[in-house]
């Protein structure tokens, strides 16, 4: 495969030499496109010797070859590592003042960006907005690592290790369909927390793993993905915009805001059905005489049912999850069917939980039902396999809505 490796002008440019090695050793043809500033850190000879190809930041070095168009057109993947704050800003603005930015404008293949800069620059609202813009366009922006920076200081902004960047690059190059290209999907993940007082909450055991797998699978299939993550501690893969929330109400607001222009919404989050009627402003104290306080609960809005009943966009596909245990009133599937009819979603992914299955585990066993409660598909295996089965079931509904 042909890879363009863009290198911007940061101290971490030297690590791109290791990344270049990993990419060429895997059998790929890599053309390094440094920025002018990158050459202040690592010279042209290093890039040309290691890649066996010319390495210039200039559009005018090979005018007859029209490299500023050819490189982007021919690439199967563009990787920018390190991406400085300046490079992110130029890419987000669509500037074309050197060979790397012109290549980024021409390329229609996957683009992977590994930022590296000082923490203050990474956290500046301008950089935050530029990263959000790039992610909304489908660029896979890795989160920088936390650790030692250029000087004695440390924080978020370190270039991820070359092995990690190479792994993300290989995932993007892996053969696979990009059948969700041009689609925007919203996935909710994790479990909500409803505060009782400043230190306590009502919560659940959801890890967010299934929602993260759904988001990653959609990104790999070419979708622009927004993940609304409730109390998720696990890492989220590249190419996914993450909106972090805590409570059911915040999750509802974030999902509805993101879903306004979405083709599909998948509610994989475990949303609290009830929250405390009141949140104490100060920590609730033990009462004298061992009197336990009683807790008044109120129902939270059913986000899934709302999305299904009043679509935020015509033709929007709405998918729910149902975690069921089965009881005296019926087995897992009977409860799932009843829920499919009750919720009105286009698809309901019924998942057996309890006794070591479902929550927090790597493997899943699901049945996908349609709005009438009829079985559409079954999937068993890793949460990644289940995620792909869900998108496989969503695809025909998206096509029908067009
Ligand atoms: N859900 C939601 N809003 C809520 C509760 C749940 O959007 N307030 C969504 C979940 O994200 C999931 C689906 O509804 O996609 C199923 O949730 P579940 O809690 O299993 O369903 P309930 O309606 O709460 O049914 P029950 O508790 O009776 O099993």
């Amino acid at each position: 495969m042909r890879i363009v490796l863009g290198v911007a002008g940061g101290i971490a440019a030297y690590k791109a030499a290791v990344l270049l090695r990993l990419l060429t050793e895997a059998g790929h043809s890599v053309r390094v496109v440094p920025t002018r500033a990158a050459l202040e850190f690592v010279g042209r000879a290093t890039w040309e010797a290691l890649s066996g190809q010319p390495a210039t930041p200039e559009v005018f070095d090979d005018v007859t070859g029209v490299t500023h168009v050819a490189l982007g057109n021919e690439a199967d993947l563009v990787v920018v590592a390190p991406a400085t704050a300046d490079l992110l800003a130029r890419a987000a603005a669509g500037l074309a003042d050197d060979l790397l930015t012109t290549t980024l404008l021409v390329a229609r293949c996957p683009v992977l960006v590994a930022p590296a800069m000082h923490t203050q620059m990474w956290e500046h609202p301008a950089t935050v907005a530029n990263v959000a813009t790039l992610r909304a366009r489908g660029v896979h922006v890795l989160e920088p690592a936390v650790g030692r920076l250029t000087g004695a200081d440390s924080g978020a902004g370190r270039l991820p290790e070359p092995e990690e960047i190479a792994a993300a690059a290989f995932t993007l190059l892996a053969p696979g369909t990009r059948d969700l290209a041009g689609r925007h999907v919203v996935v909710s993940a994790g479990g909500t927390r409803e505060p009782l007082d400043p230190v306590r909450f009502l919560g659940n055991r959801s890890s967010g793993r299934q929602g993260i797998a759904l988001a990653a699978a959609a990104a790999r299939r070419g979708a622009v993905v927004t993940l609304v993550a409730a109390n998720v501690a696990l890492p989220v893969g590249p190419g996914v915009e993450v909106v972090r929330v805590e409570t059911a109400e915040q999750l509802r607001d974030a999902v509805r805001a993101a879903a306004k222009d979405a083709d599909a919404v998948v509610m994989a989050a475990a949303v609290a059905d009830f929250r405390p009627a009141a949140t104490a402003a100060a920590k609730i104290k033990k009462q004298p005489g061992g009197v336990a306080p009683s807790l008044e609960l109120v129902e939270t809005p059913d986000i899934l049912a709302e999305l299904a009943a009043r679509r935020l966009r015509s033709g929007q596909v709405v998918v729910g999850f149902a975690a069921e245990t089965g009881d005296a009133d019926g087995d897992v599937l009977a409860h799932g069917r009843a829920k499919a009819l009750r919720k009105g979603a286009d698809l309901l992914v019924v998942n057996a939980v309890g006794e070591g299955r479902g929550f927090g585990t790597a493997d899943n066993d699901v049945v996908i039902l349609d709005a009438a409660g009829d079985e559409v598909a079954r999937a068993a295996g890793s949460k990644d396999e289940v995620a792909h089965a869900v998108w496989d079931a969503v695809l025909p509904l998206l096509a029908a809505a067009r």
Side-chain angles (χ1 to χ4, degrees), residues 131-139 224 241:
V131 168
T133 300
L134 293 171
R135 283 185 173 149
R137 289 185 198 141
V139 173
V224 170
E241 187 202 1

Side-chain angles (χ1 to χ4, degrees), residues 188 248 251 267-273 300-305 319-324 339 342-343 348:
S188 70
L251 186 104
M267 285 292 299
V271 186
D273 288 329
T300 55
D302 190 324
I303 306 164
L304 177 66
V319 183
F321 267 72
E324 301 291 348
K339 197 171 283 181
R342 207 165 60 234
K343 296 265 186 179
L348 189 73

Side-chain angles (χ1 to χ4, degrees), residues 183 315 317-319 346-347 370 392-402:
R183 303 290 192 174
V317 178
V318 175
V319 183
D346 300 299
L347 297 171
D370 64 14
D392 287 344
V394 167
L395 266 176
L397 303 180
L398 285 175
R402 270 236 159 126

Side-chain angles (χ1 to χ4, degrees), residues 9 30 44 48 50 96 127 131 181 208 222 226 270 297 348 353 360 371 375 378:
V30 186
R44 206 164 154 160
E48 296 192 344
L50 287 177
T127 307
V131 168
T226 308
L297 300 175
L348 189 73
V353 291
E375 191 174 318
R378 269 175 192 263

Side-chain angles (χ1 to χ4, degrees), residues 187-250:
V187 177
S188 70
T192 60
R193 289 180 181 175
E194 309 303 322
L196 283 161
D197 67 17
V199 294
R200 302 185 181 95
F201 58 82
L202 295 178
N204 61 70
R205 294 185 195 280
S206 176
S207 62
R209 216 174 242 122
Q210 182 64 73
I212 291 172
L214 280 156
R220 245 176 283 138
R221 289 167 78 150
V224 170
V225 186
T226 308
L227 181 73
V228 180
N231 309 297
V232 170
L234 297 168
V236 176
V240 174
E241 187 202 1
V242 185
V243 181
R244 298 204 180 261
V245 297
E246 193 169 335
T247 65
E249 195 184 338
Q250 290 166 359

